[in-house]
Amino acid sequence: MNALAAGHGVNRVELGVVLFFFVIVTFGGFLAVRWRRGESMQSLDEWGLGGRGFGTFITYFLLGGDLYTAYTFVAVPAAMFATGAVGGFFAVPYTIVVYPIIFIFMPRLWSVSHRHGYVTPADFVRGRYDSRLLALAIAITGIIATMPYIALQLVGIQAVLDTMGIGGSGNTFVKDLPLIIAFAVLAAYTYSSGLRAPALIAFVKDGLIYLVIIVAIVYLAVKIGFGGIFDAAETKMKTKTKAGLPTGSFIPASSTYWAYGTLAFGSALALFMYPHSVTAVLSGRSRNVIRRNAAILPTYSLMLGLLALLGFAAIYEKTSVFGQDGKANAQLAVPHLFDQIFPDWFAGVAFAAIAIGALVPAAIMSIAAANLFTRNIYREFLKPDATPANEARVAKITSLVVKFGALLFVLGMDRQNAINLQLLGGVWILQTLLSIVAGLYTRWFHRWALLAGWAAAMVYGTVIAYRQTVPNATTTLVNGKPKVTVHGMRHFGTSLADFPGTNTKVYIAVTALLLNILIAVVLTVLLRVVKAPEGTDATEAADYYSDAPSKRVAVAAAEATAGVEGRPA
């Protein structure tokens, strides 16, 4: 077993390397307030969207840092290590499938948002359907789906700290202090620099990730060979458990095709419904920036595929996944693998990549959640006459609340709860797809029908996910040997459930989406028959192809630049 995992002290070399890179990104985060800055940061366009001026190169790293998070780099190989292809590798095809989809509809969302000054997807829904309640539903869904996603970035950092020898038993405050400091610093430079901070830091994060993955894959190919790695993984996955079932799936069996396919396709549809994904897209300079990135971002998927193989490499190396607390945690597979096979200094580089890989998406997610609250709750319901400066101030404060809310969540609750809620977040966020994506092409759906479909799907998806139970087991070391203790059953045990009327497992979010669509179609027909009021569409056909901002957006920008609240510039 790994010496550090046994609790034999802090590895000072690894910690020193991580601190070195942390200082660099902290300096960059505060410096970003002066990078490509407009006349004023007192507007959501500048603070929350980086001035809407990022080009192809910057957007590539921003989207990469946003979508491929620390938890992705920890969880995907961890799932490969623990359960194999169905649980882990589906993430690779879904990140490939998603880009042709966003190539088609994201430029339309960018154009109409640029034209009307929309900052969030709920802004677009409000303008398209003239429905405050539907926009509120989209905003709330985005916020509650994002919160556990932020918390999971902390899980990635915790895995790194645990591997370096920090985070075992003892004083709770001292144990969590490094995590608290990291998020306090993140909160400070995000507050001052807005979206520019993660955009600038993403260069460092993605550069380190590419370096680490390339070196790791070359090392494994030369020193071990992929044949041995795959053989070891296949042997483990075919090994029977005490219940007589396979440990995992080396290659998905025919009985899991629908589970695998719906997980991949449903996750692809959901990925760009998350507010942080939309925020990164709307920060782009033009429609062509979005198209170009849809074409080149699959390079990250190639890297993710190589990263997934590290889970199988950890099986070959018989890597221990027992942490400082003596409990087994599959999330430690890759950090412990690097600690096991590489020199301390390079393992430190890998850990820095994971830690920084948590800070970038956490910053973007908190900004996106703050934008949603400010635009679609604060301005819509609490202060309709809010100025751009008011909005920026509220968004900054909200971003702090979101970050520390996520921090308290992950420190105060079991790690598995954060994972379960993030899986549930995928079910929730997919239910916003119909209102947003269908709205980009047609206004046939009635606003009340969309709201009813969303509500029914949210309830159905949550209830079905809650009913999926698995044994709540903890694996600990007793006299040097693993011991499994079962603590009853755990809810939200999987994101798969039988499709209604069948014995076929599918992704719960996809079933809920089908219910959403069915209800929206039926109610739209009925509401049109009774001629229910449809509201006024604030958009025009030309808005979905435009590269030019409207006069109203230009006036708002001038007011923000003048820094005068309540009076024209």
Side-chain angles (χ1 to χ4, degrees):
M1 188 179 74
N2 185 305
L4 290 181
H8 287 191
V10 176
N11 188 312
R12 289 182 173 81
V13 174
E14 293 172 350
L15 180 60
V17 174
V18 171
L19 288 176
F20 170 76
F21 284 105
F22 181 74
V23 170
I24 289 177
V25 299
T26 298
F27 177 76
F30 285 110
L31 185 66
V33 71
R34 300 180 179 277
W35 177 55
R36 303 174 62 91
R37 178 173 176 167
E39 292 296 325
S40 171
M41 289 286 285
Q42 298 304 310
S43 72
L44 289 186
D45 274 2
E46 287 295 332
W47 183 85
L49 293 179
R52 300 182 189 256
F54 294 153
T56 302
F57 186 69
I58 297 172
T59 304
Y60 172 79
F61 284 102
L62 181 63
L63 274 170
D66 187 15
L67 303 178
Y68 298 85
T69 68
Y71 185 70
T72 301
F73 290 116
V74 169
V76 171
M80 295 288 285
F81 173 87
T83 60
V86 175
F89 203 76
F90 83 91
V92 179
Y94 102 63
T95 59
I96 298 172
V97 169
V98 70
Y99 295 117
I101 298 174
I102 67 166
F103 184 91
I104 296 171
F105 75 79
M106 270 300 173
R108 295 177 68 91
L109 181 60
W110 182 93
S111 286
V112 70
S113 299
H114 195 65
R115 183 73 176 166
H116 289 270
Y118 298 150
V119 175
T120 70
D123 278 352
F124 164 68
V125 170
R126 173 73 170 92
R128 181 64 153 162
Y129 297 104
D130 192 18
S131 174
R132 300 172 75 197
L133 290 180
L134 182 58
L136 178 64
I138 301 301
I140 291 176
T141 305
I143 293 171
I144 63 174
T146 300
M147 288 292 289
Y149 219 151
I150 300 174
L152 282 189
Q153 306 315 307
L154 300 177
V155 172
I157 297 178
Q158 282 179 325
V160 166
L161 295 174
D162 189 284
T163 304
M164 293 189 299
I166 303 171
S169 59
N171 184 283
T172 301
F173 177 75
V174 173
K175 179 182 67 174
D176 296 327
L177 185 59
L179 200 59
I180 296 171
I181 293 173
F183 251 57
V185 173
L186 169 68
Y189 62 64
T190 304
Y191 185 91
S192 64
S193 302
L195 192 65
R196 287 173 172 81
L200 188 59
I201 295 170
F203 289 104
V204 179
K205 174 255 183 182
D206 292 348
L208 289 176
I209 288 289
Y210 273 112
L211 171 66
V212 168
I213 297 305
I214 291 172
V215 170
I217 292 299
V218 170
Y219 174 87
L220 294 174
V222 173
K223 294 294 185 180
I224 300 174
F226 291 114
I229 291 174
F230 285 118
D231 288 343
E234 184 175 16
T235 299
K236 178 188 175 181
M237 295 305 157
K238 289 182 177 179
T239 301
K240 302 291 185 180
T241 64
K242 290 183 178 180
L245 300 174
T247 301
S249 57
F250 180 68
I251 296 176
S254 58
S255 60
T256 62
Y257 284 174
W258 277 103
Y260 188 92
T262 55
L263 266 173
F265 185 64
S267 299
L269 293 178
L271 184 61
F272 271 81
M273 293 298 98
Y274 278 102
H276 57 277
S277 301
V278 176
T279 295
V281 166
L282 297 186
S283 69
R285 187 167 53 209
S286 69
R287 288 168 55 90
N288 284 336
V289 166
I290 311 308
R291 289 199 182 100
R292 293 189 197 107
N293 273 279
I296 61 179
L297 275 168
T299 53
Y300 278 97
S301 299
L302 172 63
M303 178 177 64
L304 183 61
L306 298 176
L307 180 74
L309 295 180
L310 296 182
F312 283 173
I315 295 174
Y316 176 89
E317 291 288 344
K318 296 181 174 57
T319 301
S320 168
V321 292
F322 286 91
Q324 295 288 316
D325 57 2
K327 298 179 182 179
N329 176 12
Q331 314 299 329
L332 298 174
V334 166
H336 281 192
L337 175 69
F338 278 104
D339 187 62
Q340 180 178 340
I341 68 176
F342 287 111
D344 289 345
W345 68 269
F346 188 76
V349 173
F351 299 159
I354 295 173
I356 297 170
L359 298 179
V360 171
I364 303 172
M365 291 170 190
S366 66
I367 290 170
N371 289 344
L372 282 169
F373 174 82
T374 302
R375 272 298 181 98
N376 308 115
I377 297 177
Y378 172 74
R379 192 180 77 168
E380 188 68 48
F381 293 96
L382 302 178
K383 191 174 176 59
D385 60 344
T387 66
N390 289 149
E391 291 181 348
R393 183 163 53 250
V394 171
K396 290 178 179 181
I397 296 172
T398 304
S399 73
L400 296 179
V401 174
V402 168
K403 288 188 191 71
F404 285 103
L407 181 63
L408 293 175
F409 176 85
V410 80
L411 295 181
M413 296 184 68
D414 182 79
R415 176 176 53 249
Q416 189 60 49
N417 288 328
I419 297 172
N420 293 342
L421 284 175
Q422 198 278 326
L423 294 174
L424 190 58
V427 176
W428 291 333
I429 201 66
L430 188 56
Q431 307 321 310
T432 66
L433 181 138
L434 186 60
S435 297
I436 297 171
V437 176
L440 292 172
Y441 294 92
T442 179
R443 203 173 179 272
W444 181 81
F445 286 100
H446 196 282
R447 53 186 179 173
W448 297 348
L450 288 170
L451 186 60
W454 166 85
M458 290 287 284
V459 172
Y460 171 85
T462 304
V463 171
I464 296 300
Y466 178 80
R467 290 177 177 174
Q468 306 313 304
T469 56
V470 296
N472 186 17
T474 300
T475 303
T476 55
L477 285 178
V478 178
N479 296 325
K481 295 182 179 180
K483 179 183 178 181
V484 179
T485 304
V486 178
H487 314 278
M489 302 299 289
R490 173 169 55 84
H491 292 283
F492 301 110
T494 173
S495 54
L496 301 172
D498 290 339
F499 189 80
T502 74
N503 293 319
T504 302
K505 296 287 185 184
V506 297
Y507 185 26
I508 296 170
V510 172
T511 307
L513 179 63
L514 293 177
L515 175 65
N516 189 345
I517 295 172
L518 177 62
I519 291 176
V521 169
V522 172
L523 287 183
T524 293
V525 172
L526 295 176
L527 288 167
R528 290 191 182 283
V529 169
V530 301
K531 297 182 179 180
E534 299 181 30
T536 303
D537 184 1
T539 70
E540 300 175 357
D543 294 339
Y544 297 88
Y545 302 94
S546 174
D547 256 328
S550 67
K551 291 182 179 179
R552 184 167 60 83
V553 174
V555 170
E559 289 179 355
T561 299
V564 179
E565 299 185 8
R567 294 188 291 110

